[in-house]
């Protein structure tokens, strides 16, 4: 259906909403088939449901994308009851249909059990993981089948676009975004409204807007899940932005490793074109705007704005100096406004609710909410959305549910591979752009990797430095050689070859890498090293001076021993040892031959008595 | 034609002027300031890879370090070319380059001028410093597009696209521009080889003097590109001049 004007859009929305109302009481299985749940087997569950439902025409299966609580996937909500089932397997499907969908009986085993109270929880809203969140941008994912534009319209989709096109001038929109305090969610945190304003002012016949969906941080997937789960929301933000800026062409630059995101945004673009929400004369307003998809080849640095533009142009993704801003001369030397997925997805909320309402959320310098991907040594792995300014403690302990296995929290790395590691002492830090920077880390695009006491901070710094060494584009001497040499020094330290002066050398290298490099990758690359030196200097010193790894991680600096008092001589370690380094007979405590031992830790893992100790 | 617009600013306290749109490094060099640089060449566009031409630019009360080769001159700026920070950064950059290209004479010399004679890092001997001059001269000046960057990070190298030198016309522009002399050209009999790209081409023999004077592939490429008569290069330029 081609919509000729805003009235027709509203008529259609009314129809869709009335249709949904008529379906009230409809028996429906809502299943997350986002990438996280797919990893846990959601497609098999979906198939099992489909098979069952083929026999009962009155039950509907709705496949959404990410609900956020990935730790507990596959996630299913049974409507109209709204009961929330977790870790659903294909074998449980027929029971769910027979008992819950048909008879309204709750299967206790499938409910989420609060580890603190031991009680089963029926509804999503009552689960601690969700209770403290504010899911302004991400919340609609659970209501939407991303392949159906009607679902998006039912949540109020494209209302903001109508308001912008028919009730606001481009200048008013920019003013609204400026007043909202929205800052770029991709890493830089630059005020979005100011960027738009500068791009609008740049005179040119053709201007571009770009959506950056080249999320490449290990363990981070918020942009992916937004694009997979609610692509129209991102498109709506882009169309509003393009109208405000005066752009007629847009690009979605999305990683090719995100096949579902590529697919869903592709479907969404076609639907929007068909309905007159994209293309010539959008909703009869006279505004013309088209969007093309560009798939990225997987280089981390291609997420840097100028490198991304080079990549769209068909060049090697290599950043250039930005003394001439991309809002003046970007893609094909035309004014170009680039924002990331989450930034664009915030725009419809701001336009619809107004800047004042939006800027009530968050802190002085960081407004609105932020989506974080909470991963690592944490009980509730998943995607969370919280108001800016929530403390790290609330995020890690209240929402994240703390550290598994009764271990102690050690640090959280924020902002992706080039973020810093923040220690326990700063757990009361309110998380926003400025506070994270002050603590030697950064917001980045919102990755949060939690580490427990069994993590070696030198090893962590080495891991991320190696990632950045590998992903540096190699243009700047400071970044290419700096990350390489920092990695070499760190590698030596973890292998017991550290020397006095290595910490100072790392600090020097970190300084020149940050100060002399051209783009954000190089400028932030030393963060993992410098922040761990700052907060965990004693661990570096233990490695260098005492040739010890206090966390028991660095293989060359540890020894495994069997406590003869605790050993029950069960023979498990002897059997599992890959190098036959363990000797011992029945009823005789076992021993490890240190010359043969490769310090893989297998004996420690399999010992039922915790008799294997690491030093 | 309208007159070129001039901007006026200060370098190390000296009032200077330059055309709007020019980059800071060539302006400073013209005025006689000594700023080390390895990836800049007047024939090609600025790139900003070696980072040696760092200067401090003060604008609206804010000072920051930036490469002068990619900085467009402006009216309001004050430039310092030789501060403690800059010297410290340059020395570290040169120490890093010296470790990468320990045998390259140019690097040894520039490092020595900055007071760096040793490196604390494991030295290797890759003479290519990835300045990208060969890639730019081939693309922008020759327009043969026969050289590109391959890989990234510390594995980055300059190489023919897909390691196939089929587009190379063996003109030798890359040989000429390479600051560390790591691209070599050899001529044996009627063959010319660009060693680094593994490109060997037969040379055209002059119909007048009989001497091989340029690769046939290159001559045909020029004839094609410039729409010249097919026999334009039958005779070498020397014989042609003598009539």
């Amino acid at each position: 259906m081609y919509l000729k004007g805003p009235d027709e859009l509203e008529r259609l929305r009314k129809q869709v909403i009335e249709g949904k109302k008529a379906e009230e009481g409809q028996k429906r299985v809502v299943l997350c088939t986002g990438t996280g749940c797919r990893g846990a087997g959601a497609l098999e569950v979906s198939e099992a449901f489909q098979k069952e439902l083929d026999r009962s025409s009155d039950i509907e299966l709705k496949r959404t994308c990410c609900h956020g609580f990935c730790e507990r996937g596959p996630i299913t909500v049974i409507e109209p009851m709204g009961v929330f089932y977790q870790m659903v397997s294909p074998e449980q499907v027929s029971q769910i249909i027979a008992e819950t969908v048909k008879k309204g009986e709750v299967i206790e085993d499938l409910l989420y059990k609060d580890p603190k109270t031991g009680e089963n929880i029926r509804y999503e809203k009552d689960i601690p993981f969700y209770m403290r969140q504010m899911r302004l941008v991400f919340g609609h994912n659970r209501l939407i089948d991303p392949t159906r534009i009607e679902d998006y319209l039912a949540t109020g989709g494209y209302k903001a676009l109508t308001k912008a096109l028919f009730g606001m001038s481009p200048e008013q929109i920019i003013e609204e975004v400026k007043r909202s305090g929205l800052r770029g969610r991709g890493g830089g945190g630059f005020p979005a409204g100011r960027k738009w304003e500068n791009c609008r002012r740049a005179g040119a016949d053709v201007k571009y807007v770009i959506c950056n969906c080249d999320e490449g941080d290990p363990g981070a997937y918020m942009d992916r899940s937004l694009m997979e789960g609610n692509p129209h929301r991102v498109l709506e933000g882009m169309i509003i932005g393009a109208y405000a800026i005066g752009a007629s062409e847009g690009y979605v630059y999305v990683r090719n490793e995100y096949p579902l995101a590529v697919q869903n945004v592709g479907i969404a673009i076609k639907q929007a074109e068909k309905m007159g929400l994209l293309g010539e004369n959008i909703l009869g307003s006279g505004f013309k705007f088209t969007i093309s998809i560009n798939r990225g080849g997987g280089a981390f640095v291609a997420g840097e704005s100028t490198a991304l533009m080079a990549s769209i142009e068909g060049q090697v993704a290599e950043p250039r100096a930005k003394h001439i801003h991309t809002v003046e001369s970007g893609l094909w030397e035309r004014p170009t406004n680039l924002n990331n997925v989450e930034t664009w997805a915030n725009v419809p909320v701001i336009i619809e609710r107004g800047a004042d309402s939006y800027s009530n959320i968050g802190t002085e310098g960081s407004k609105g909410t932020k989506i974080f991907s909470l991963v690592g040594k944490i009980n509730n792995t998943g995607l969370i959305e919280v108001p800016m300014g929530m403390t790290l403690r609330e995020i890690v302990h209240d929402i994240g549910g703390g550290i598994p296995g009764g271990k102690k929290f050690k640090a959280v790395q924020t902002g992706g591979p080039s973020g810093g590691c923040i220690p326990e002492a700063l757990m009361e830090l309110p998380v926003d752009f400025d506070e994270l920077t002050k603590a030697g880390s950064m917001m980045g695009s919102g990755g949060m990797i939690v580490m427990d006491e069994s993590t070696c901070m030198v090893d962590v710094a080495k891991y991320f430095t190696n990632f950045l060494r590998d992903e540096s584009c190699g243009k700047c001497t400071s970044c290419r050689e700096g990350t390489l040499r920092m990695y070499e020094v760190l590698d030596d330290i973890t292998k017991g070859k550290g020397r006095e002066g290595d910490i100072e050398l790392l600090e020097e290298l970190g300084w020149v890498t940050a100060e002399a490099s051209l783009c954000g990758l190089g400028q932030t690359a030393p963060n993992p090293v410098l922040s761990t030196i700052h907060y965990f200097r004693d661990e570096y010193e233990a490695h260098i001076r005492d040739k010890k790894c206090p966390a028991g991680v660095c293989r060359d600096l540890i020894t495994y021993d069997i406590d003869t008092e605790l050993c029950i001589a069960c023979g498990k370690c002897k059997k599992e040892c890959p190098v036959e380094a363990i000797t011992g007979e029945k009823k005789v405590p076992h021993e490890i031959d240190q010359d043969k031992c490769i310090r893989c830790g297998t004996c420690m893992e399999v010992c039922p008595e915790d008799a294997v100790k690491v030093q | 034609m309208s007159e070129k617009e001039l901007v006026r600013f200060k370098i190390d306290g000296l009032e200077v002027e330059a055309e709007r749109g020019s980059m800071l490094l060539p302006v400073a060099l013209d005025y006689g300031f000594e700023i080390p640089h390895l990836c800049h060449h007047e024939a090609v566009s600025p790139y900003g890879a070696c980072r040696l031409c760092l200067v401090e630019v003060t604008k609206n009360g804010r000072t920051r370090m930036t490469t002068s080769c990619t900085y467009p001159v402006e009216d309001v700026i004050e430039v310092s070319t030789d501060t403690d920070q800059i010297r410290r950064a340059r020395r570290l950059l040169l120490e890093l380059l010296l470790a990468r290209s320990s045998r390259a004479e140019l690097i040894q010399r520039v490092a020595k001028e900055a007071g760096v004679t040793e490196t604390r890092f494991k030295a290797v001997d890759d003479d290519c410093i990835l300045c990208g001059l060969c890639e730019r001269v081939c693309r922008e000046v020759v327009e043969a597009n026969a050289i590109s960057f391959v890989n990234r990070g510390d594995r980055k190298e300059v190489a023919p696209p897909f390691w196939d030198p089929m587009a190379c016309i063996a003109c030798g522009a890359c040989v000429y521009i390479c600051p560390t002399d790591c691209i070599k050209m050899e001529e044996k009999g009627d063959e010319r080889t660009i060693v680094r790209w593994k490109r060997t081409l037969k040379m055209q023999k002059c119909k007048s003097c009989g001497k091989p004077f340029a690769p046939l592939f290159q001559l045909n490429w020029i004839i094609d590109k410039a729409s010249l008569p097919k026999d334009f290069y039958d005779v070498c330029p020397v014989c042609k001049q003598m009539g």
Side-chain angles (χ1 to χ4, degrees):
Chain A
M1 183 184 178
Y2 188 84
L3 305 166
K4 290 194 208 74
D7 313 347
E8 293 190 9
L9 172 65
E10 285 318 306
R11 220 172 298 144
L12 174 65
R13 188 195 315 281
K14 222 173 139 192
Q15 272 175 24
V16 171
I17 292 172
E18 272 167 12
K20 298 226 177 219
K21 267 196 195 136
E23 285 176 7
E24 243 167 59
Q26 163 77 37
K27 291 173 179 158
R28 185 181 293 128
V29 175
V30 181
L31 174 70
C32 172
T33 51
T35 299
C37 280
R38 280 185 185 199
L43 287 182
E44 290 75 18
V45 176
S46 166
E47 221 170 276
F49 270 120
Q50 196 58 58
K51 246 187 220 158
E52 289 280 333
L53 299 185
D54 285 344
R55 281 181 263 143
S56 356
S57 57
D58 59 330
I59 305 170
E60 192 190 316
L61 173 66
K62 181 175 190 144
R63 294 164 26 131
T64 69
C65 281
C66 192
H67 295 217
F69 203 4
C70 309
E71 179 78 38
R72 296 282 162 173
I75 284 168
T76 304
V77 178
I78 309 298
E79 287 177 352
M81 298 169 70
V83 60
F84 180 92
Y85 286 155
Q86 38 112 52
M87 300 174 97
V88 175
S89 69
E91 295 74 37
Q92 293 159 325
V93 162
S94 48
Q95 191 194 359
I96 294 174
I97 298 283
E99 292 177 20
T100 311
V101 181
K102 289 192 175 159
K103 290 195 232 154
E105 291 164 8
V106 174
I107 306 165
E108 293 290 327
D109 285 353
L110 286 171
L111 294 176
Y112 174 75
K113 188 176 182 175
D114 187 336
K116 282 193 183 124
T117 62
E119 275 172 34
N120 287 342
I121 301 176
R122 282 194 179 192
Y123 306 109
E124 186 185 279
K125 63 177 174 46
D126 299 325
I127 296 173
F129 174 78
Y130 288 108
M131 270 165 67
R132 307 289 298 267
Q133 296 192 40
M134 182 190 264
R135 300 202 296 158
L136 203 62
V137 176
F138 201 56
H140 283 166
N141 266 29
R142 67 198 164 91
L143 305 173
I144 289 174
D145 172 345
T147 62
R148 287 170 46 89
I149 191 170
E150 293 80 5
D151 283 1
Y152 183 61
L153 294 179
T155 64
Y158 290 108
K159 250 190 198 168
L161 176 65
T162 314
K163 185 173 172 187
L165 287 179
F166 299 96
M168 297 170 90
S169 68
E171 289 78 10
Q172 280 173 324
I173 296 171
I174 288 173
E175 193 49 39
E176 201 70 8
V177 176
K178 271 170 77 180
R179 279 203 309 122
S180 76
L182 175 68
R183 292 172 69 174
R185 301 296 197 240
F190 191 81
R194 253 173 63 203
K195 202 184 216 180
W196 291 21
E197 186 174 51
N198 292 337
C199 195
R200 172 154 190 90
R201 278 189 194 148
D205 49 344
V206 179
K207 292 181 191 178
Y208 299 105
V209 296
I210 296 176
C211 171
N212 185 350
C213 187
D214 192 54
E215 184 177 57
D217 305 1
Y221 57 111
M222 33 289 145
D223 292 342
R224 170 183 208 160
S225 295
L226 256 183
M227 201 53 123
E228 287 175 356
N230 199 351
H232 280 290
R233 173 91 171 235
V234 182
L235 298 185
E236 186 178 3
M238 287 180 75
I239 305 168
I240 294 169
Y243 171 68
I245 289 157
S248 55
E249 286 176 52
Y251 285 89
V252 171
Y253 188 92
V254 50
R255 299 182 68 181
N256 203 33
E257 296 93 328
Y258 284 2
L260 190 59
V262 174
Q263 181 190 313
N264 287 355
V265 71
I267 293 170
I269 289 172
K270 285 218 174 72
Q271 287 169 339
E273 282 170 350
K274 217 169 163 187
M275 294 177 75
L277 296 162
L278 272 176
E280 304 277 341
N281 198 13
I282 292 171
L283 287 175
S285 67
F287 173 57
K288 180 198 161 186
F289 181 60
T290 56
I291 298 181
S292 321
I293 298 176
N294 213 287
R295 287 176 298 167
F300 178 70
V301 73
E304 198 278 341
S305 61
T306 56
L308 187 150
M309 289 174 203
S311 174
I312 293 181
E313 289 172 2
Q315 317 284 336
V316 174
E318 203 174 74
R320 64 155 178 82
K322 274 186 275 195
H323 300 299
I324 300 163
H325 299 296
T326 50
V327 288
E328 286 156 32
S329 176
L331 185 60
W332 288 301
E333 293 175 5
R334 298 298 205 296
T336 305
N337 185 93
L338 176 141
N339 286 118
N340 104 315
V341 173
E342 193 182 335
T343 314
W344 288 120
N346 266 280
V347 171
V349 194
I350 291 166
I351 297 301
E352 215 192 321
R353 297 195 180 188
D356 294 328
S357 151
Y358 184 87
S359 62
N360 274 334
I361 308 163
T363 61
E364 183 67 34
S366 307
K367 298 299 184 189
T369 58
K370 179 74 192 80
I371 306 176
F372 293 102
S373 111
L374 197 56
V375 299
K377 303 286 178 62
I378 185 107
N379 276 313
N380 300 336
T381 299
L383 295 181
I384 63 162
E385 183 178 356
V386 297
M388 295 275 193
M390 186 177 265
T391 65
L392 274 175
R393 184 177 304 282
E394 286 171 285
I395 291 175
V396 171
H397 290 289
D398 299 344
I399 296 176
I403 317 299
K407 289 201 171 151
K408 264 176 64 188
F409 171 91
K410 187 168 194 177
V412 56
Q413 201 222 18
T414 71
S418 53
C421 296
I422 302 174
E424 169 84 34
L426 296 180
M427 282 301 267
E428 304 306 330
L429 188 87
V431 175
D432 72 7
F433 284 106
D434 309 312
E435 291 295 329
L436 286 174
T437 308
K438 269 192 242 163
S441 185
M442 58 186 206
M443 178 72 82
S445 61
M448 276 199 185
I449 301 174
V450 181
M451 300 161 202
D452 68 15
E453 55 190 328
S454 65
T455 314
C456 166
M457 300 315 285
V458 185
D459 184 58
V460 162
K462 180 173 112 170
Y463 171 83
F464 286 114
T465 306
N466 192 33
F467 177 88
L468 295 160
R469 174 196 66 79
D470 195 46
E471 292 292 349
S472 159
C473 83
K475 175 174 175 167
C476 296
T477 304
S478 42
C479 178
R480 180 187 68 235
E481 308 293 332
T483 53
L484 168 70
R485 302 305 180 171
M486 280 192 284
Y487 170 74
E488 285 179 356
V489 175
L490 289 165
D491 192 46
D492 277 353
I493 295 175
T494 58
K495 288 188 171 145
K497 292 184 258 173
R499 288 170 299 189
E500 282 300 323
D502 274 358
I503 296 179
E504 292 69 25
L505 183 59
L506 284 171
E507 285 172 331
E508 261 187 84
L509 283 169
W511 178 80
V512 81
T513 306
E515 292 297 321
S517 298
L518 187 156
C519 83
L521 193 156
Q523 286 161 8
T524 58
N527 279 344
V529 179
L530 297 180
S531 68
T532 48
I533 290 179
H534 184 71
Y535 294 119
F536 301 94
R537 197 181 182 101
D538 52 337
E539 273 191 54
Y540 279 85
E541 286 167 353
H543 282 74
I544 295 169
R545 291 183 192 153
D546 312 331
K547 309 292 174 203
K548 290 257 190 283
C549 173
V553 172
C554 299
R555 280 191 188 192
D556 294 301
L557 303 180
I558 53 172
T559 50
Y560 287 94
D561 274 308
I562 297 173
D563 185 331
T564 49
E565 300 278 305
L566 295 174
C567 178
I568 54 165
C570 66
K572 271 198 181 138
C573 56
K574 188 178 158 189
K575 195 172 150 224
E576 296 294 331
C577 176
V579 290
E580 296 176 356
I582 299 176
T583 52
E585 299 305 319
K586 269 186 187 167
K587 292 184 185 167
V588 182
H590 291 19
E591 262 182 78
I592 300 173
D593 181 343
Q594 297 299 341
D595 292 336
K596 282 189 187 165
C597 176
I598 56 166
R599 298 167 195 92
C600 64
T602 305
C603 51
M604 194 171 166
E605 266 170 42
V606 300
C607 178
E609 299 295 316
D610 288 332
V612 182
K613 304 290 177 197
V614 61
Q615 260 201 336
Chain B
M1 247 173 75
S2 64
E3 252 181 68
K4 293 263 169 73
E5 201 187 338
L6 291 179
V7 295
R8 288 180 181 80
F9 59 100
K10 280 185 179 171
I11 304 179
D12 292 340
L14 179 78
E15 289 270 2
V16 299
E17 58 177 37
E19 276 175 25
R20 185 178 296 284
S22 359
M23 295 298 154
L24 183 51
L25 177 66
V27 174
L29 294 176
D30 274 355
Y31 272 94
F33 290 95
E34 281 179 22
I35 300 175
H37 54 85
L38 294 168
C39 69
H40 163 81
H41 193 284
E42 58 192 8
V44 293
S45 56
Y47 185 53
C50 78
R51 316 307 286 172
L52 282 185
C53 70
L54 287 169
V55 293
E56 277 179 15
V57 175
T58 304
K59 184 183 169 186
N60 305 329
R62 230 184 113 217
T63 301
R64 58 178 188 156
M65 205 153 62
T66 181
T67 47
S68 55
C69 68
T70 54
Y71 196 93
V73 293
E74 291 173 278
D75 272 316
V76 288
I77 56 171
E78 283 187 35
V79 181
S80 308
T81 66
D82 195 23
T83 65
D84 287 348
Q85 292 275 76
I86 294 168
R87 279 194 297 269
R88 182 178 172 216
R90 273 186 200 146
R91 278 200 303 267
L92 270 162
L93 289 166
L94 283 163
E95 195 183 339
L96 289 167
L97 282 174
L98 198 58
R100 175 189 177 89
S101 312
S102 55
R103 288 185 321 190
E105 277 171 33
L106 173 78
I107 303 301
Q108 287 171 356
R109 197 187 75 225
V110 178
K112 201 174 169 194
E113 281 165 8
V116 179
T117 49
E118 274 176 24
T119 177
R120 287 167 285 178
F121 311 107
K122 286 163 203 155
V124 286
D125 53 9
D126 187 344
D127 282 353
C128 174
I129 55 166
L130 294 170
C131 67
L133 282 170
C134 56
E135 188 272 342
R136 274 174 288 158
V137 78
C138 187
R139 175 167 49 88
E140 294 177 5
V141 180
V142 185
E143 295 183 9
N145 293 301
I147 308 171
S148 95
F149 288 109
V150 181
N151 266 322
R152 60 171 181 258
D154 53 334
R155 298 165 331 287
K156 186 174 196 155
E157 53 181 311
V158 278
F162 307 102
W163 287 277
D164 184 344
M166 62 190 274
C168 174
I169 59 171
C171 65
C174 52
V175 179
Y176 168 78
I177 206 165
C178 177
T180 57
D181 204 18
C182 69
I183 310 171
K184 301 259 195 282
M185 184 159 88
E186 285 171 0
E187 281 182 11
K188 275 182 204 154
D190 65 346
E191 277 184 347
R192 177 187 287 180
T193 300
I194 309 291
V195 181
R196 195 176 183 96
W197 317 135
K198 300 190 174 71
R199 179 62 156 174
T200 300
L201 291 174
K202 273 250 177 310
M203 306 242 274
Q204 166 87 319
K205 280 188 186 138
C206 172
K207 286 202 171 148
S208 171
C209 66
K211 282 186 197 149
F213 67 96
L216 186 59
F217 182 81
Q218 177 193 130
L219 298 175
N220 285 336
W221 185 84
I222 296 169
I223 285 168
D224 204 40
K225 206 157 173 101
S227 307
L228 300 174
K230 287 259 178 288
D231 59 355
F232 192 82
Y233 285 119
D234 282 359
V235 180
C236 76
V238 181
C239 294
K240 205 176 249 178
Q241 217 165 30
M242 304 210 307

